[in-house]
Every structure is written in C-alpha cells, then in structure tokens.
Amino acid sequence: MTGETVYASPDEMRSYLMDQLNNVLRRPGMYGDVEAAMWMVVNHLLFLERRPEVWEEQKRAWGRQGAWSPTGVKGAFSPLLPPDHGCSVASVYAEFARRQGWLKPDRVLDAEAYAAMRSTVRQWGQRDRVWADVTAAFGPPSVLFGGANPFYRKTLGYLTEDLAQPMVFFHLGNRADRDTESCWPPALTEPLLLAVRCGDGKFADSFTFTPQGQCLRPKGTEYLQ
C-alpha cells in the first residue's frame, strides 16, 4: 500500500524555482541553451505567481530597446560580442530576474560605491583591461555569470539595492590564437575585458567597448572562447 503523496507548498516551489533560476544564470554552460532553460523557469515562476502576462510584456520591452530578436536575446548580442557559452545572454535575464525579486546577488554595492562606479565606468572601460583589473577597481561582482575558470568567457555584474538603478556588466573573453595548431588552451591566462554595459535605453548604446573589444567584434577575424 502506497502512502499519500505530500506536495510541496507554493512557497517551497517558488524557493526551488528561484534557486534553479540563479543556478542557470551563474553556470549557463551547464544548461545547454540558456534561453530555453530560462524560459522554462521564468514561465513556471510566473505561473506560480499568477502573473503570466509579465513575460510577454518583458519581450515587448526588450524589443523596443533592441535587446530582443527572432532568436531571442542571443540575436541582439550577435553584432556586438563574439559568441559565448551564454554568460552575456544570462546577464540580460538577470536584470529581469532582479526586477521580479528572484535574483540572489552575492554582493550588493552601497549607494556611494555604486555612484562612484557609474561616474567613472564608461571612461574606465575605454582602455584595455583584464579580469583582475575589474575586481581590483570595483571589488567582487554581485553576480558572476559563467564560472571562475579563466579559460572561458564570463560576465561580471554589479548592482545596488535601488531597483531604479541599472546593473553594470563587464563582458570578458579569453582569446584563442587561430594561427596555432590548436586553440586550446587559450593564449591568455585570464580573460580580456571586451565591453562595459549599463543603461536602460537602446541596447547597442549601452555598450562601451575597449580597444580589444572593438577589434574582436564579430566582423573581425579572431575568435573568443
């Protein structure tokens, strides 16, 4: 004789789905197509919260910004950054998750630290930098998208408590040399900063490219891991 099935409570289900969402954001390469994984978790969370209309509203908002395409967020990045394992795409979904109260940051900048970052980051991002330069200047990220392995692309995200203030993202990549017999391991011991992204206006206008980032945009001849 089987016992009665005891289902998780709505709060338990919401907590579980939020944990899953945060796992996908931080390690997108482990979930295959990060957008498909995010759509599933987001749809389940919004169904549970009885707000299914929010997802369509968000896609329309991204469309107005130029952050949405027939292939999703990924298509909006294609003319701006080299292909990656989902960490750049995950950063856009993190902004949405933050506004819904789902994102669990590892660090929250106080108002003073955030204001100091915003006042300097565009000018700061116009020079070539590496991963260590970002953390030396601004401290550990609020969210690390893509894991800690320096051989792979990643994005560092910074946020403050004020939801009216956009997140600041640093998109990094590790160049593989096409002139060598094998492109693995990459030539660099830590990833290069390609671009800083921040703002709620037009998607393309939110990017500030480093010289290396500008050179390595998809129209170039080199490829980033």
Side-chain angles (χ1 to χ4, degrees), residues 29-63:
M30 296 180 63
Y31 291 86
D33 185 334
V34 65
E35 293 209 76
M38 286 301 300
W39 294 348
M40 182 174 295
V41 178
V42 164
N43 280 325
H44 288 170
L45 273 164
L46 290 174
F47 173 81
L48 188 63
E49 295 179 356
R50 298 181 184 274
R51 300 187 298 134
E53 73 284 352
V54 169
W55 180 230
E56 293 302 321
E57 293 169 0
Q58 181 59 61
K59 288 190 287 185
R60 287 194 291 270
W62 280 335

Side-chain angles (χ1 to χ4, degrees), residues 128 175 192-194 209-217 222:
D128 286 327
R175 183 171 53 196
L192 298 165
L193 177 64
L194 304 179
F209 292 94
T210 65
Q212 284 281 353
Q214 185 65 44
C215 179
L216 297 174
R217 287 177 66 171
E222 294 184 85

Side-chain angles (χ1 to χ4, degrees), residues 159-178:
L159 58 82
T160 187
E161 287 185 354
D162 184 357
L163 292 178
Q165 300 297 329
M167 294 179 69
V168 180
F169 297 100
F170 297 83
H171 297 283
L172 301 108
N174 199 335
R175 183 171 53 196
D177 188 349
R178 277 191 161 185

Side-chain angles (χ1 to χ4, degrees), residues 143-164:
V143 185
L144 173 60
F145 306 91
N149 190 322
F151 288 155
Y152 290 99
R153 290 284 302 270
K154 61 191 82 277
T155 295
L156 281 60
Y158 293 79
L159 58 82
T160 187
E161 287 185 354
D162 184 357
L163 292 178

Side-chain angles (χ1 to χ4, degrees), residues 2-8:
T2 59
E4 182 181 356
T5 301
V6 179
Y7 294 100

Side-chain angles (χ1 to χ4, degrees), residues 18 21-22 25-26 94 97-98 101-105 143 159 167:
M18 286 174 57
L21 179 144
N22 281 272
L25 292 175
R26 285 169 168 81
R98 177 190 179 212
W102 301 335
L103 185 64
K104 298 180 179 180
V143 185
L159 58 82
M167 294 179 69

Side-chain angles (χ1 to χ4, degrees), residues 80-225:
L80 301 167
L81 295 176
D84 64 21
H85 300 294
C87 52
S88 297
V89 171
S91 69
V92 174
Y93 281 89
E95 296 175 287
F96 170 66
R98 177 190 179 212
R99 291 190 292 268
Q100 308 311 311
W102 301 335
L103 185 64
K104 298 180 179 180
D106 300 314
R107 175 183 174 225
V108 177
L109 277 66
D110 61 33
E112 183 178 357
Y114 178 84
M117 172 185 281
R118 286 292 306 276
S119 68
T120 62
V121 72
R122 283 196 175 271
Q123 182 176 1
W124 189 91
Q126 293 175 11
R127 294 180 54 190
D128 286 327
R129 313 279 186 177
V130 296
W131 184 6
D133 295 327
V134 179
T135 55
F138 304 111
S142 302
V143 185
L144 173 60
F145 306 91
N149 190 322
F151 288 155
Y152 290 99
R153 290 284 302 270
K154 61 191 82 277
T155 295
L156 281 60
Y158 293 79
L159 58 82
T160 187
E161 287 185 354
D162 184 357
L163 292 178
Q165 300 297 329
M167 294 179 69
V168 180
F169 297 100
F170 297 83
H171 297 283
L172 301 108
N174 199 335
R175 183 171 53 196
D177 188 349
R178 277 191 161 185
D179 294 331
T180 61
E181 184 175 336
S182 172
C183 66
W184 189 261
L188 304 177
T189 57
E190 63 178 317
L192 298 165
L193 177 64
L194 304 179
V196 177
R197 180 171 67 84
C198 181
D200 294 325
K202 289 296 184 181
F203 189 63
D205 294 341
S206 67
F207 286 78
T208 299
F209 292 94
T210 65
Q212 284 281 353
Q214 185 65 44
C215 179
L216 297 174
R217 287 177 66 171
K219 62 182 180 181
T221 59
E222 294 184 85
Y223 179 74
L224 290 171
Q225 290 290 324

